[in-house]
Amino acid sequence: MVTTSAERVPANTSEKLNERIWDEMEHRIVFYAQHPELIQNRLEELDREWDVERLIETEGPTMTMLGIFLSITGGRKWLLLPLFAQGMMLTHAIQGFYPMLPLFRALGFRTQAEIAEERYALRILRGDLESIGDAGQGTDVRASVAFLASRVRPT
Amino acid sequence: MSAVAMSSTRVVEQTDPRVNQRIERQTEINVNYYANHPELIDDRIRQLDAEWDVERVLEMNSASLTLLGLVLSTRNRSWLLFSLAIQGFFMQHALQGWCPPLPVLRRMGFRTEAEIQSERYALKALRGDFAQGADPRRLSQAVHH
């Protein structure tokens, strides 16, 4: 019933949509492999991209606050709207299901983990993680190269 | 501070820099440990896939408290203000990054998904997932699994 964090959204998305999101990423990786000079721009776009949680966290409170306001002016039956919206938010947090998720995924909204797939593929294309495969180095050097090259905001 | 912040760093920007540093330092310690114990990397990556990020915790807490306020409002309608305030703050979190429980959760060590992924990719690199070079199609597979 409690879904793994990594699986929460993909497990509640149709296989077709999951594959489409991945295919589109693969196409972009092929494109940026041929246009490495555009990688930096793309990485900045990825930092700005709205992930599906952020969208849900904007849409959920909007519906909930709307329902509460309507219940004050238009009768208490409107409280069913925030009740439903927050019941669904709780379901989404624990199990992953959310009524708007199929729509948001069809519109192409990704999880932060999916965005990270593209971010790290681009960094590898750029050569950020190149020296890690070097077995001649000491373990501590490899560890610190891996850590530094993988930071959210590399220095 | 802009009204609508960057997605990947909006939580980090709203966290005390010392707390961010402590979280990053812990990640560095983890990466260093698993570099020395490569046989444990598979297990660690499974743990990271199960780790609750700060968004998931906030979604659960805000929904629980808001539902509580809605239920209590049947006895006293002023509880609606409680639910309203939580949802207002949660919206602020979505747009701008900050909300009242965030400093506490960050001090407890809850990471953003981007921070969890940074440990994950450091470990994947150490495991040799990206050693086959930069062929774009194989690379797309390698980041996905």
Side-chain angles (χ1 to χ4, degrees):
Chain A
M1 204 198 118
V2 180
T3 313
T4 310
S5 291
E7 275 301 305
R8 197 156 65 103
V9 169
N12 285 285
T13 305
S14 73
E15 229 9 78
K16 223 178 79 187
L17 281 179
N18 282 334
E19 265 169 41
R20 195 172 87 191
I21 286 169
W22 185 81
D23 279 345
E24 286 171 1
M25 183 204 69
E26 190 189 33
H27 281 119
R28 283 193 295 273
I29 300 305
V30 171
F31 172 83
Y32 287 105
Q34 291 155 355
H35 300 89
E37 72 284 3
L38 300 176
I39 288 180
Q40 185 55 37
N41 261 329
R42 179 61 186 157
L43 287 171
E44 284 160 22
E45 273 174 28
L46 291 178
D47 284 342
R48 284 192 298 270
E49 180 172 333
W50 274 54
D51 61 278
V52 73
E53 298 309 316
R54 192 173 185 186
L55 185 62
I56 288 172
E57 290 171 8
T58 308
E59 178 268 335
T62 305
M63 296 312 239
T64 304
M65 292 194 284
L66 183 71
I68 292 177
F69 283 127
L70 287 174
S71 81
I72 294 165
T73 54
R76 304 194 74 175
K77 61 176 188 298
W78 281 103
L79 283 181
L80 289 174
L81 176 59
L83 215 54
F84 176 73
Q86 291 303 306
M88 288 299 105
M89 183 70 83
L90 194 58
T91 309
H92 175 66
I94 294 168
Q95 190 268 336
F97 174 82
Y98 193 72
M100 306 288 275
L101 195 58
L103 173 67
F104 292 164
R105 296 287 278 170
L107 290 170
F109 282 93
R110 299 191 282 178
T111 64
Q112 273 298 336
E114 286 164 344
I115 294 170
E117 288 181 2
E118 184 169 339
R119 174 180 298 129
Y120 287 97
L122 292 175
R123 286 192 191 176
I124 294 160
L125 278 184
R126 200 169 60 173
D128 291 14
L129 287 146
E130 225 158 45
S131 45
I132 294 168
D134 208 333
Q137 297 169 325
T139 309
D140 291 350
V141 176
R142 293 179 72 232
S144 97
V145 172
F147 166 74
L148 289 172
S150 303
R151 290 179 71 193
V152 182
R153 287 182 297 184
T155 39
Chain B
M1 183 198 305
S2 69
V4 177
M6 298 262 274
S7 283
S8 68
T9 54
R10 74 187 203 281
V11 167
V12 171
E13 275 156 19
Q14 298 296 329
T15 303
D16 182 339
R18 283 169 306 177
V19 177
N20 283 333
Q21 263 174 27
R22 199 192 311 153
I23 287 174
E24 240 199 339
R25 177 80 191 116
Q26 185 58 53
T27 302
E28 188 177 8
I29 291 169
N30 296 347
V31 171
N32 200 24
Y33 175 82
Y34 290 102
N36 286 292
H37 299 85
E39 71 283 4
L40 301 176
I41 288 181
D42 293 0
D43 277 342
R44 178 59 183 164
I45 286 179
R46 271 190 289 275
Q47 279 175 16
L48 292 176
D49 285 345
E51 181 171 330
W52 279 51
D53 68 290
V54 74
E55 302 307 314
R56 192 174 184 180
V57 177
L58 283 171
E59 285 170 8
M60 196 176 84
N61 291 356
S62 71
S64 308
L65 291 172
T66 304
L67 285 171
L68 182 72
L70 290 172
V71 171
L72 289 174
S73 78
T74 56
R75 287 168 172 259
N76 181 341
R77 295 195 77 179
S78 52
W79 279 103
L80 284 181
L81 290 175
F82 175 72
S83 295
L84 209 54
I86 291 173
Q87 290 300 305
F89 279 128
F90 198 39
M91 182 97 140
Q92 181 184 5
H93 169 76
L95 296 177
Q96 187 247 327
W98 187 81
C99 60
L102 192 73
V104 181
L105 293 176
R106 293 290 282 168
R107 275 178 179 75
M108 288 170 73
F110 283 102
R111 297 192 279 185
T112 65
E113 189 58 40
E115 286 169 337
I116 296 170
Q117 294 296 330
S118 82
E119 179 172 339
R120 195 160 168 274
Y121 282 92
L123 296 181
K124 280 167 73 69
L126 286 170
R127 192 168 66 177
D129 288 17
F130 312 126
Q132 82 291 68
D135 173 65
R137 287 182 197 281
R138 283 163 77 184
L139 186 54
S140 303
Q141 292 287 345
V143 290
H144 190 54
H145 295 290

